[in-house]
Amino acid sequence: MPQNLDAVAVRAWSRLALDALGRAREEIDSINVYPVADGDTGTNLYLTVESASQAVDAVFTGHEPALPSLAETVRAMAHGALIGARGNSGTILSQLLRGMAQVIGGAEGEGDDLGAEQAGDREADHVDGHTLERALRQAAESAYQAVAHPVEGTVLTVATAAADAAATAEGDCEAVARAAYEGARAALDATPGQLAVLGRAGVVDAGGSGLVAVLGALVGALTGETVTRRGAVPKGAAAKSVVSRSGVSRSGGGHARVEPVECDDPPVEEGGPAFEVIYLLEAEDAAVARLRTRLDRLGDSLVVVGGDGLWNVHVHVDDAGAAVEAGVEAGRPHRIRITHFGVGDAHTTPQPPRERAQRAIVAVVPGEGLAGLYAEAGATTVPTRVGEPPASGELVDAIRRAHAREVVLLPNDAELRHTAAAAAAQARTEGVRVALIPTRSAVQGIAALAVHEPDRRFDEDVVAMTSAAGATRYGELSVAERQSWTMAGICQAGDVLGLIDGDVAVIGSEVARTAAGVLDRMLSAGGEMVTLVLGESVPDTVAEHLEKHVREAYLAVDTVVYRGGRQSALLLIGVE
């Protein structure tokens, strides 16, 4: 049966792309040498796709219990990327997604001359391989048009190579996506020979590497496979090659072709523009055309993406005020972000100085009870909601609220490791020293808080907290929603599941008895302290039963009980 792209596949794509960029974020940051070696391309791409994924999830939530259409889903993904685009590469990626949405979702825009044949696809619940190939072509072309001075050896080259490879594929969306991914990988490997600054550093283009990860996620969404990306080109491995100039000409079939020529690096100097300016802009097309011309005179790395009255503007300039003023003359700019390279953020609205604390704890917590417990210990908390994990932006906001020179971040959830890492990287660009302790449960966070001493040296405090969290095994009780296979056997809907370190270890019918079984397994390797966090629906008699069980069966083991309140798990267990 042909594998085609539908709304569910797009949602899977957005989530897999976010996960892939989360895993690759640090590596991509480390190879970021062009256009500015500011080490944030991976973080910016992650934040851009995070916004896209949230928009897709929101459109699904809005249609429950039904499913949104494919057109609504791809438009949401593109719009989310547009409003959340960060940095040069994130802005370009948002335009690539918008170009795909113009074809797949049927949105009208510049270069959308698909004709009557596409009309049928626009109303369908899925698209075939031929339509996906056209979408990838439109993505590459629209990205070139969005960049004021396109440079080869960058994400633009990788996007064009993906479209070229897709055009040679025959078959369904799986075949087209796989061809695009392989074409993008080959093009990425060639980038050090196309841009001398990459060759000298011995790395591939950072933005192109991110796009390869996104295309690999598309293959994974269509096939169910886990697509792994290769690392950066090792130092000295890059070879000089023939490259393409940004001029685009038309050949048969209306596809963009790029003529290969030798080219040198565009001028990149250490004394380049001092500020990166990004803002969303509500403006008419004619005003945006004038804005492009004006901003092009002010600086470089100009990328303007969007359409239909909403644009994302990115430029590097020395006069940040002039760049914002140009946006005011063109329309209504908002979400203005000005970053001084190497220094941190400069904000357009002066804020009165406020003395920073030396150190703070920021923690993600499930439930009001735990939030109160963490707050009493001096932590700034980020509450979680069932099925709605916090985004990296929420964590960054919490770090800002903490207003400290040093911050220890406790995600308290294994699924938040990439989100927390991106938030930490973003906060570091704002001058905050952030240490991320990979806590996987709120009980590990409690253990870390218990040994926190703000008067200690930062590194020593982080080591002590990390050690305490790592020495705490965590368990959890939940109720099975359906019949399924587990590490402990087959469970039925309604069974009480006892998990240890994330894996099902006990299946039972009663909360107290199942919890006692989990405790026995956790304490079999020893322990000094048991922490119990009761969910809102669990009666106090369960805690009393478990305290008695520990007291009678395990001498010298203390037990402490907390109430988690609403939004917390049925029961959390920690053994230190």
Side-chain angles (χ1 to χ4, degrees):
M1 180 177 179
Q3 180 63 62
N4 294 318
L5 188 68
D6 58 14
V8 173
V10 170
R11 188 184 201 185
W13 178 27
S14 70
R15 290 178 170 181
L16 289 172
L18 185 63
D19 186 61
L21 288 171
R23 294 193 305 272
R25 183 189 60 79
E26 290 186 355
E27 179 192 321
I28 295 173
D29 281 348
S30 71
I31 63 172
N32 174 201
V33 298
Y34 181 84
V36 177
D38 49 356
D40 64 358
T41 292
T43 299
N44 287 336
L45 287 169
Y46 180 89
L47 295 173
T48 301
V49 174
E50 181 183 53
S51 180
S53 182
Q54 288 172 343
V56 171
D57 285 343
V59 81
F60 267 76
T61 300
H63 282 77
E64 288 180 347
L67 292 176
S69 68
L70 173 61
E72 290 171 313
T73 307
V74 295
R75 290 171 190 163
M77 187 175 183
H79 182 73
L82 174 68
I83 64 175
R86 302 291 289 270
N88 188 70
S89 294
T91 307
I92 293 173
L93 178 60
S94 74
Q95 186 69 0
L96 289 167
L97 293 175
R98 177 178 170 81
M100 294 186 71
Q102 287 178 327
V103 175
I104 296 174
E108 293 186 0
E110 185 178 354
D112 188 11
D113 54 356
L114 301 172
E117 179 187 359
Q118 179 64 19
D121 286 340
R122 289 174 180 173
E123 299 302 321
D125 290 330
H126 63 268
V127 294
D128 58 16
H130 184 47
T131 304
L132 179 58
E133 179 270 317
R134 291 200 304 268
L136 290 166
R137 177 65 59 190
Q138 176 70 5
E141 292 185 7
S142 61
Y144 265 101
Q145 294 164 4
V147 178
H149 301 284
V151 173
E152 297 304 327
T154 65
V155 63
L156 298 175
T157 308
V158 176
T160 298
D164 288 344
T168 67
E170 296 182 1
D172 58 11
C173 286
E174 176 186 338
V176 171
R178 196 181 298 276
Y181 172 67
E182 294 298 337
R185 286 210 316 179
L188 178 66
D189 287 345
T191 56
Q194 297 172 311
L195 203 52
V197 65
L198 302 178
R200 288 192 297 269
V203 297
V204 296
D205 178 64
S209 183
L211 179 57
V212 168
V214 171
L215 290 174
L218 177 59
V219 175
L222 291 167
T223 65
E225 300 174 5
T226 300
V227 179
T228 57
R229 26 181 319 281
R230 291 177 294 180
V233 174
K235 208 169 186 65
K240 185 71 176 177
S241 66
V242 174
V243 299
S244 304
R245 194 180 300 278
S246 57
V248 178
S249 61
R250 293 280 176 182
S251 64
H255 289 175
R257 299 291 300 173
V258 184
E259 298 301 325
V261 296
E262 290 288 339
C263 74
D264 298 320
D265 282 359
V268 179
E269 303 175 0
E270 290 185 2
F275 296 98
E276 177 185 59
V277 179
I278 304 175
Y279 51 80
L280 290 179
L281 177 70
E282 296 176 17
E284 300 297 325
D285 290 8
V288 171
R290 293 191 296 270
L291 175 66
R292 289 178 192 267
T293 302
R294 181 170 176 181
L295 291 179
D296 195 26
R297 293 170 183 160
L298 285 175
D300 59 30
S301 296
L302 174 61
V303 185
V304 181
V305 302
D308 302 320
L310 181 63
W311 308 81
N312 192 305
V313 178
H314 170 281
V315 67
H316 295 173
V317 294
D318 280 321
D319 191 344
V324 175
E325 181 183 348
V328 172
E329 293 182 4
R332 189 179 79 86
H334 52 105
R335 292 197 185 184
I336 300 169
R337 181 176 181 81
I338 302 174
T339 303
H340 189 188
F341 291 121
V343 174
D345 286 351
H347 298 279
T348 54
T349 304
Q351 298 293 325
R354 181 163 64 96
E355 183 65 26
R356 285 181 178 270
Q358 180 60 35
R359 189 173 309 160
I361 308 295
V362 172
V364 179
V365 291
E368 305 95 324
L370 282 177
L373 175 67
Y374 273 77
E376 286 177 10
T380 299
T381 61
V382 181
T384 62
R385 301 165 294 277
V386 176
E388 296 181 37
S392 59
E394 292 179 70
L395 301 187
V396 173
D397 287 342
I399 293 172
R400 290 172 181 152
R401 290 200 315 273
H403 201 64
R405 298 180 182 88
E406 302 166 340
V407 169
V408 179
L409 181 57
L410 306 174
N412 292 338
D413 187 337
E415 297 299 320
L416 289 178
R417 62 192 186 281
H418 297 322
T419 301
Q426 175 60 34
R428 291 183 189 114
T429 68
E430 300 177 10
V432 182
R433 188 181 184 189
V434 182
L436 170 61
I437 297 179
T439 49
R440 295 174 291 173
S441 170
V443 291
Q444 289 188 321
I446 291 172
L449 271 178
V451 299
H452 166 55
E453 292 185 15
D455 294 332
R456 259 193 308 228
R457 288 179 57 248
F458 184 65
D459 292 338
E460 292 176 355
D461 198 29
V462 170
V463 169
M465 295 177 72
T466 302
S467 178
T472 302
R473 300 190 71 191
Y474 65 96
E476 178 179 338
L477 260 63
S478 63
V479 177
E481 296 181 356
R482 63 184 68 87
Q483 183 188 63
S484 60
W485 289 89
T486 75
M487 297 284 289
I490 301 176
C491 70
Q492 306 295 329
D495 281 350
V496 179
L497 305 180
L499 291 81
I500 299 176
D501 294 342
D503 293 322
V504 176
V506 180
I507 299 174
S509 57
E510 298 177 0
V511 171
R513 185 172 297 177
T514 305
V518 170
L519 273 171
D520 287 339
R521 293 192 178 216
M522 295 178 71
L523 287 168
S524 63
E528 298 175 356
M529 171 73 75
V530 170
T531 300
L532 303 174
V533 180
L534 278 64
E536 184 179 38
S537 63
V538 178
D540 292 335
T541 53
V542 170
E544 294 168 0
H545 171 79
L546 295 177
E547 285 183 287
K548 180 180 179 182
H549 178 75
V550 171
R551 186 169 57 250
E552 293 177 350
Y554 304 94
L555 299 177
V557 176
D558 295 325
T559 303
V560 60
V561 179
Y562 301 108
R563 272 288 177 184
R566 288 186 302 125
Q567 306 295 343
S568 64
L570 191 64
L571 178 66
L572 293 177
I573 302 173
V575 173
E576 300 176 44

